[in-house]
Amino acid sequence: FFFQAEDGIRDAQESRGLGDVYKRQILILANILRIFFWIGNRFDTALLVQSIFMILAQLLLLRTCLQNSPKRQPIVKFSPKTIGAFWRWSDYGSYLEFLLCFWVAVGFLSLLFVRVPLFVELLGFASVSIEACLGLPQLLRNYRTKQTEGVSVPLILSWFIGDALKTVYYIAMAQPFQFILCGFVQLIVDIIILGQLKVYGKSTKTKPE
């Protein structure tokens, strides 16, 4: 999966670079929150290990995204003065600096409130909510443009199968409710996009030239 994603980024048009950077943001932040959620609610260790490897993989993919994105001028680096350019910085180091600050901030809050059940549960919901929204931009773009260009049935079916297996695992292993909710939300998004492929795909084919 990692090498397929890296090849896809390298082969993609430059205009897609920033979009790929935002995808990395979603997955990195979601998995950082998941790690701290584990501290307060010890879910399956395999999922914790998965989060660690996911962060490392996404950091490598983020670097690839930046290397293949169009060079933006002027150069923008992470600082309180560039809050308007959030996650649109010019150099890889700025992303690492922000992620370190984010890690420290969430770690400090977790240290203070790790024994507060409400905080732990909200941390879990924040983590899975971010991850569950991963497919929403594609769904909304399809709805807005009434097209499904760049999306294929095999791709979305692979999403659906992966999300279905993941959800079954969460249920079978009695994982926290947040994980199960995330799985069902992702399945619903997958089904809607499959419906869009059927509806908008037909309208695109019948559209006069």
Side-chain angles (χ1 to χ4, degrees):
F1 170 80
F2 171 81
F3 293 110
Q4 287 179 335
E6 185 180 37
D7 288 341
I9 292 169
R10 292 185 187 279
D11 295 339
Q13 297 177 353
E14 285 193 344
S15 59
R16 286 185 50 198
L18 191 56
D20 284 321
V21 167
Y22 282 123
K23 292 176 186 177
R24 311 286 80 82
Q25 171 198 21
I26 292 173
L27 291 169
I28 292 172
L29 296 183
N31 281 280
I32 288 175
L33 291 174
R34 183 190 286 189
I35 289 174
F36 285 104
F37 178 43
W38 181 86
I39 295 175
N41 187 345
R42 298 298 177 90
F43 51 82
D44 194 349
T45 305
L47 295 176
L48 172 66
V49 174
Q50 179 194 50
S51 290
I52 294 172
F53 278 101
M54 178 66 78
I55 291 172
L56 295 175
Q58 295 305 318
L59 286 173
L60 291 174
L61 290 173
L62 174 60
R63 185 177 62 179
T64 303
C65 289
L66 295 173
Q67 290 173 345
N68 290 271
S69 295
K71 303 300 180 183
R72 296 186 295 276
Q73 297 293 339
I75 295 176
V76 180
K77 294 191 175 184
F78 168 65
S79 74
K81 296 181 180 179
T82 59
I83 189 66
F86 178 73
W87 210 260
R88 287 183 288 141
W89 303 300
S90 305
D91 66 309
Y92 186 59
S94 290
Y95 293 88
L96 295 181
E97 288 177 25
F98 166 76
L99 291 172
L100 178 60
C101 292
F102 181 78
W103 186 286
V104 171
V106 177
F108 179 73
L109 290 174
S110 298
L111 184 64
L112 292 178
F113 302 111
V114 70
R115 298 188 182 278
V116 179
L118 178 61
F119 172 80
V120 175
E121 295 304 309
L122 288 176
L123 197 61
F125 274 113
S127 170
V128 300
S129 296
I130 295 172
E131 183 178 349
C133 292
L134 192 60
L136 279 179
Q138 182 67 56
L139 186 155
L140 294 174
R141 186 177 70 176
N142 295 344
Y143 176 77
R144 186 174 62 253
T145 62
K146 300 297 186 289
Q147 294 180 0
T148 55
E149 184 179 356
V151 184
S152 66
V153 172
L155 172 65
I156 305 304
L157 280 177
S158 69
W159 289 8
F160 179 83
I161 293 171
D163 292 334
L165 292 174
K166 180 171 63 178
T167 304
V168 170
Y169 174 83
Y170 294 156
I171 296 173
M173 300 299 292
Q175 296 307 295
F177 171 73
Q178 290 93 332
F179 287 95
I180 300 173
L181 178 63
C182 172
F184 278 113
V185 170
Q186 289 179 313
L187 285 173
I188 291 171
V189 171
D190 295 341
I191 292 170
I192 294 175
I193 295 178
L194 284 171
Q196 290 177 327
L197 279 165
K198 183 174 182 180
V199 175
Y200 300 147
K202 286 184 177 180
S203 64
T204 301
K205 291 178 182 178
T206 58
K207 191 178 294 184
E209 296 182 1

